[in-house]
Amino acid sequence: MTSVSFQTALQLIYPPRCILCGTQVESEFGLCGPCWRDTPFISGLSCHLCGIPLPGEEEGDKVTCDDCLRIARPWSEGRAAMLYHENGRKLVLALKHGDRQEIVRPATLWLAKAARPLITPDTLIAPVPLHWTRMLRRRYNQSALLTNALARQLEVDHCPDFLQRNIRTLPLEGQGFDERFRTLSGTISVKPSRTDLAQGRTILLVDDVMTSGATMAAATMACYAAGAEDVRILVLARVAKHT
């Protein structure tokens, strides 16, 4: 049996299913029409620092949301693929806690679309790290899975262990902006064996979700401390106030 015939037979036995609701779809690793419609992808005008969608028409000028005007962001630009709301939240939680690693495949395409304006010839893509104790329990870093696939998609350099968590912090749920930033300050650093990769480069930090930006701020400062020229951020989902 040829490879094409085998794949055809396999699809007849196990037809492709929507990664969210399980409805039969035409191709693997995709969303059905209703799930796609209800997934809050970000397009049009958005904050140039955190990616949150903004009212108005995109005219080429950089615009900044209220949060990013109020809180100094150490990175220079940022994007998000979707809002952490409804189906966006379901996808992130399934990847993060549900061991649904097949979500990486479509998520990579959504991230790549958002990331293209951030990429420079010297870009190094790096994931936000997990503390080793959380890594043992979860068995994988969902952000590293995303960066590995994204780097291949965009054909740029990638270092999955560029950053390290020095301290295991308490869960941030329920903490306010200021408390989150105090909790995470100084908890992330560039691995000593990786500092040469940072020198004079643009680092694109990738995480699954951004709430206050405290984690990204700690990771960004670590990159600058190691000699990075510029730091930009990319997240699969951005928490918005209405969520």
Side-chain angles (χ1 to χ4, degrees), residues 11 13 16 24 41 43 47 53 56 73 86 89 92 95 99 105 110 126 128 130 145 150 166 174 176 183 208 223:
Q11 287 188 353
I13 301 170
Q24 189 171 331
F41 293 108
S43 60
C47 175
R73 305 297 195 188
E86 296 180 343
R89 183 174 183 273
V92 170
L95 172 61
D99 202 17
R105 189 161 171 176
W110 305 331
V128 170
L130 288 177
L145 295 179
L150 182 64
N166 304 312
T183 298
D208 56 346
C223 292

Side-chain angles (χ1 to χ4, degrees), residues 221-240:
M221 297 308 296
C223 292
Y224 283 132
E229 178 70 22
D230 190 17
V231 180
R232 301 170 182 191
I233 69 158
L234 175 70
V235 294
L236 180 59
R238 173 73 166 99
V239 173

Side-chain angles (χ1 to χ4, degrees), residues 2-204:
T2 67
S3 176
V4 173
S5 299
F6 177 77
Q7 290 297 326
T8 301
L10 196 61
Q11 287 188 353
L12 288 172
I13 301 170
Y14 303 106
R17 301 286 179 178
C18 171
I19 58 173
L20 267 177
C21 71
T23 299
Q24 189 171 331
V25 292
E26 291 185 1
S27 58
E28 292 186 81
F29 307 105
L31 296 168
C32 66
C35 285
W36 179 273
R37 181 194 61 217
D38 294 337
T39 300
F41 293 108
I42 295 173
S43 60
L45 187 66
S46 62
C47 175
H48 82 286
L49 287 173
C50 74
I52 203 164
L54 296 171
E57 298 294 326
E58 190 171 18
E59 297 178 352
D61 297 327
K62 291 183 178 181
V63 291
T64 310
C65 72
D66 291 343
D67 280 348
C68 291
L69 286 172
R70 183 171 63 87
I71 304 167
R73 305 297 195 188
W75 58 84
S76 64
E77 291 189 73
R79 297 290 188 279
M82 64 180 68
L83 289 174
Y84 187 72
H85 182 57
E86 296 180 343
N87 283 352
R89 183 174 183 273
K90 291 176 183 177
L91 286 163
V92 170
L93 291 178
L95 172 61
K96 190 170 188 171
H97 299 299
D99 202 17
R100 295 282 309 283
Q101 296 185 36
E102 71 274 15
I103 291 172
V104 169
R105 189 161 171 176
T108 298
L109 300 179
W110 305 331
L111 283 168
K113 182 179 179 181
R116 293 192 190 282
L118 305 177
I119 300 299
T120 65
D122 70 335
T123 293
L124 174 71
I125 296 180
V128 170
L130 288 177
H131 191 266
W132 69 267
T133 56
R134 287 199 169 97
M135 187 74 166
L136 279 178
R137 188 179 73 246
R138 197 176 297 170
R139 297 182 294 107
Y140 63 91
N141 178 358
Q142 68 281 356
S143 298
L145 295 179
L146 291 170
T147 56
N148 184 51
L150 182 64
R152 291 199 305 269
Q153 179 72 23
L154 297 175
E155 298 182 338
V156 296
D157 290 342
H158 172 234
C159 184
D161 61 347
F162 182 69
L163 295 169
Q164 62 185 9
R165 292 256 189 177
N166 304 312
I167 300 171
R168 177 172 179 171
T169 55
L170 295 173
L172 301 178
E173 288 79 4
Q175 294 187 15
F177 276 102
D178 293 340
E179 192 174 1
R180 283 173 179 256
F181 280 83
R182 283 195 299 270
T183 298
L184 288 165
S185 178
T187 61
I188 298 175
S189 65
V190 174
K191 279 192 174 182
S193 61
R194 302 302 190 193
T195 54
D196 60 318
L197 296 176
Q199 303 302 310
R201 299 186 73 167
T202 296
I203 309 298
L204 178 62

